[in-house]
Amino acid sequence: MRTPRLDDLPPARGHWLEIDTTAQRLVAWQGRETHFDCPVSTGAAGTGQHEGSGQTPLGWHYVRAAIGAGEPPGAVFRGRRPTGEVFSPALAAGHPGRDWILTRILWLCGLEPGHNRGGDVDSQRRYIYLHGTPPDQPMGEPRSHGCIRLRDADLLAVFALAVPGTPVWLHD
């Protein structure tokens, strides 16, 4: 995996992701061409950089790790590891209030020292992911604890494109 350089972004040819927190949309780009577009749900507390804020961080990031390949849609993750469970309404009823991390995880790492990398603004140490969410959770409105939530089918499409090292631009 090659870590992207800020002065090379956005890439002229490769895949990269754009997440607009105002529009609550993710666009997957191939250079300057749109490849995929879907609704997302970002932080209910808005945008911000600080640890413990529950906000979605802004700026340039990259996919540090892609977790969950081969797991079934709806696979439940705790601590970035599959639990062996698959999400269902019955499972949800047994764990009310749980923040479900489903299907796949794209773990983000900030590229901008002092803004989203290092100290108390470090996106990777804040465990900021793109991840799946239960089908009853709304898309297109901020409802997460800071991560970027996607529908399972959309996450699977993005996961196939966004290998480790893929640049991700979060903006409002």
Side-chain angles (χ1 to χ4, degrees):
M1 170 185 72
R2 181 183 159 284
T3 302
R5 293 173 36 100
L6 282 170
D7 56 354
D8 293 334
L9 298 175
R13 278 174 266 175
H15 282 106
W16 60 285
L17 304 178
E18 175 186 6
I19 299 167
D20 183 333
T21 62
T22 301
Q24 294 291 295
R25 304 283 307 172
L26 177 148
V27 177
W29 295 87
Q30 172 84 38
R32 306 284 185 250
E33 307 255 334
T34 300
H35 188 75
F36 182 79
D37 180 355
C38 67
V40 297
S41 178
T42 61
T47 58
Q49 309 306 102
H50 286 77
E51 189 171 345
S53 68
Q55 297 173 314
T56 299
L58 299 177
W60 280 104
H61 294 76
Y62 70 98
V63 175
R64 176 75 173 141
I67 301 166
E71 294 295 326
V76 177
F77 289 84
R78 299 278 289 186
R80 294 161 308 286
R81 297 197 188 334
T83 65
E85 303 162 303
V86 174
F87 182 83
S88 69
L91 185 61
H95 302 278
R98 186 168 170 184
D99 183 24
W100 296 96
I101 297 174
L102 305 178
T103 305
R104 302 285 185 275
I105 297 170
L106 293 171
W107 192 357
L108 299 183
C109 182
L111 283 168
E112 300 174 67
H115 181 64
N116 57 27
R117 184 176 185 121
D120 67 349
V121 297
D122 195 278
S123 295
Q124 183 178 346
R125 281 189 283 199
R126 290 181 59 200
Y127 302 101
I128 300 297
Y129 311 142
L130 280 72
H131 66 80
T133 195
D136 67 338
Q137 294 300 301
M139 289 293 112
E141 61 184 74
R143 298 283 297 260
S144 82
H145 297 127
C147 288
I148 298 91
R149 295 177 178 174
L150 293 89
R151 292 269 175 255
D152 284 350
D154 293 337
L155 179 58
L156 291 169
V158 171
F159 191 86
L161 300 171
V163 299
T166 300
V168 180
W169 180 40
L170 289 113
H171 66 88
D172 52 12

